[in-house]
């Protein structure tokens, strides 16, 4: 098992990360949002708005957290709601600054097993990224 963990740290995973986002990508995006809005991360409380989508139904939820707990909170949201039939979308992270709601993410982040399997099997609709996925897939094995 340790070799598999090392294999995922190969230089080829950087190319895969352009396609499949991670919790660290979301936190980096939030940090950029804080910097853009001239906010000190540790001085605010954050609200993560997310959707749990199953078929044609979507459930909107949110969780309040501190900056130090963002990684753990995002991990818990994804782990507790992610399944074969569900997808999870981290829609937005906000904070109140001077009584106004500040949006910190530049985009939403979706996590689905269907999308993951399509990308790892090279079935992605985006042709420009398709070759990269295939190359990375075979390089990791």
């Amino acid at each position: 098992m340790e070799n598999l963990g090392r294999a995922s740290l190969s230089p080829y995973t950087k190319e895969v990360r352009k396609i499949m986002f991670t919790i660290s990508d979301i936190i980096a995006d939030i940090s950029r949002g804080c910097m853009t809005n001239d906010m000190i991360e540790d001085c605010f409380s954050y609200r993560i708005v997310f959707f749990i989508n199953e078929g044609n139904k979507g459930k909107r939820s949110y969780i309040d957290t501190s900056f130090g707990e963002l990684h753990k909170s995002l991990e818990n949201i994804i782990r507790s709601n992610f399944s074969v039939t569900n997808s999870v979308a981290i829609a937005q992270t906000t904070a109140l600054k001077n009584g106004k709601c500040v949006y910190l993410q530049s985009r939403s982040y979706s996590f689905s097993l269907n999308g993951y399997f399509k990308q790892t099997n090279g079935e992605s609709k985006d042709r420009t990224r398709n070759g990269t996925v295939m190359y990375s897939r075979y390089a990791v094995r």
Side-chain angles (χ1 to χ4, degrees), residues 31-40 44 97 102-104:
S31 291
R32 283 189 298 273
C34 288
M35 185 174 62
T36 302
N37 289 290
D38 196 28
M39 297 168 59
I40 300 170
F44 294 89
K97 179 181 176 188
V102 178
Y103 298 94
L104 302 172

Side-chain angles (χ1 to χ4, degrees), residues 104-124:
L104 302 172
Q105 286 177 216
S106 62
R107 62 179 314 274
S108 63
Y109 296 87
S110 181
F111 297 88
S112 76
L113 283 176
N114 188 30
Y116 171 77
F117 289 131
K118 280 185 177 180
Q119 289 175 349
T120 57
N121 288 328
E123 299 172 15
S124 176

